[in-house]
Amino acid sequence: MGYTEKVMIELEFWKRDILEKPSMVDKLTSKVQKKINSYIPDKVHSAITAAIKTMVQTVLYGSTYTTSAIPPPEMSLIHREALVKEKIESYGKTGAAEGGITGAGGFLMSLADFPLLIGIKMKLLFEIASLYGFDVKDFRERLYILHIFQLAFSSQEGGAKVFHKLENWKNQSLLLPDDAEHFDWLSFQQEYRDYIDIAKLAQMLPVVGAAVGAVANYQLIKKLGKTAMQAYRMRILEKN
């Protein structure tokens, strides 16, 4: 079996997972997350909301997230993905180290972890996009990056909606505005906040905070990286 065939099989399994109806466990988890949200201090909610709003604006309008050089067009998919996997592992370790440090610092330091972690995640997505050969200077490519981020950290139901947009991106991109005026960042941040709260809340606990912060950050970044790989695989294979 060739590498492309292997990728196609993995992609099909991933699509099935994304489009599965929410299970009883998913529904229960959602209820638990909402309950936990009611106990989390307003400062935490405000910090996450502000960090995500700033991140969205920076992604769409700024030049903060620089990337490595785009590989030559003739580079094979297997070589591109080898580089992508190296980036995911590297950024995962960076996020783990950062989460361990902030987790050991207690409540206030853990608050600082949210914008730092978002920055690491977005930088990774820009790197992955470039390695797959997409120009991140293009506004529509930046919107695609935000949709990947949203897909990775959405509920089962919310993720399916985002997936359909990505699956039909060729047509979807033709309908996109030239600016982010209509981007629904409020829903975007709500989904993200709900997803990470359970893991990140434990990071604020004494004694275990450092270990939890390191593991949570590593796993969140790995999940994002895998989601990005599948999202770009859809576009690469569509071209072929």
Side-chain angles (χ1 to χ4, degrees):
M1 181 187 297
Y3 189 76
T4 300
E5 287 75 17
K6 177 176 176 292
V7 164
M8 291 175 68
I9 292 172
E10 291 179 1
L11 182 59
E12 286 305 312
F13 276 106
W14 176 74
K15 287 180 181 180
R16 290 182 186 180
D17 289 340
I18 293 292
L19 297 176
E20 275 186 350
K21 292 183 178 180
S23 64
M24 290 300 295
V25 174
D26 292 325
K27 292 177 181 178
L28 179 60
T29 300
S30 180
K31 289 181 180 180
V32 171
Q33 287 173 327
K34 289 178 181 178
K35 190 67 175 178
I36 287 178
N37 274 337
S38 67
Y39 294 123
I40 295 177
D42 290 339
K43 285 184 178 180
V44 177
H45 289 305
S46 298
I48 299 173
T49 300
I52 293 175
K53 184 176 183 179
T54 300
M55 178 270 287
V56 170
Q57 293 171 338
T58 302
V59 167
L60 296 178
Y61 301 118
S63 57
T64 301
Y65 301 108
T66 56
T67 63
S68 306
I70 296 178
E74 62 271 16
M75 180 179 281
S76 66
L77 181 59
I78 189 171
H79 287 135
R80 288 180 189 274
E81 294 209 329
L83 295 175
V84 168
K85 290 172 183 177
E86 285 181 6
K87 288 290 184 183
I88 294 172
E89 185 63 26
S90 175
Y91 276 76
K93 290 178 180 177
T94 299
E98 181 270 322
I101 293 171
T102 54
F107 182 78
L108 292 178
M109 284 288 285
S110 292
L111 278 180
D113 178 56
F114 287 110
L116 290 173
L117 180 60
I118 287 174
I120 292 171
K121 288 175 178 176
M122 295 313 303
K123 181 69 166 66
L124 172 61
L125 287 180
F126 271 63
E127 292 277 13
I128 291 175
S130 293
L131 288 171
Y132 276 109
F134 295 96
D135 185 3
V136 295
K137 294 179 182 178
D138 187 325
F139 175 76
R140 288 173 175 77
E141 289 303 330
R142 293 184 175 213
L143 278 177
Y144 192 78
I145 285 173
L146 287 178
H147 279 77
I148 292 174
F149 189 98
Q150 191 174 16
L151 175 59
F153 304 117
S154 288
S155 63
Q156 190 76 19
E157 184 178 356
K161 293 178 182 178
V162 178
F163 169 78
H164 286 306
K165 291 181 180 180
L166 295 183
E167 188 179 34
N168 192 37
W169 190 255
K170 187 174 182 179
N171 294 325
Q172 182 76 22
S173 62
L174 298 175
L175 305 175
L176 294 174
D178 292 327
D179 56 55
E181 181 181 351
H182 302 296
F183 187 80
D184 187 6
W185 72 268
L186 287 173
S187 297
F188 181 90
Q189 66 87 14
Q190 181 68 51
E191 287 276 7
Y192 178 65
R193 189 186 69 188
D194 288 352
Y195 184 91
I196 67 171
D197 271 345
I198 289 180
K200 301 301 285 180
L201 180 64
Q203 183 179 330
M204 300 178 188
L205 299 174
V207 184
V208 300
V212 171
V215 173
N217 282 8
Y218 183 79
Q219 293 301 329
L220 289 169
I221 290 172
K222 292 280 282 189
K223 177 178 175 60
L224 179 63
K226 289 178 180 179
T227 301
M229 286 185 67
Q230 300 295 1
Y232 283 111
R233 281 173 169 182
M234 282 198 297
R235 294 179 70 187
I236 293 288
L237 294 175
E238 186 182 55
K239 288 182 179 180
N240 297 335

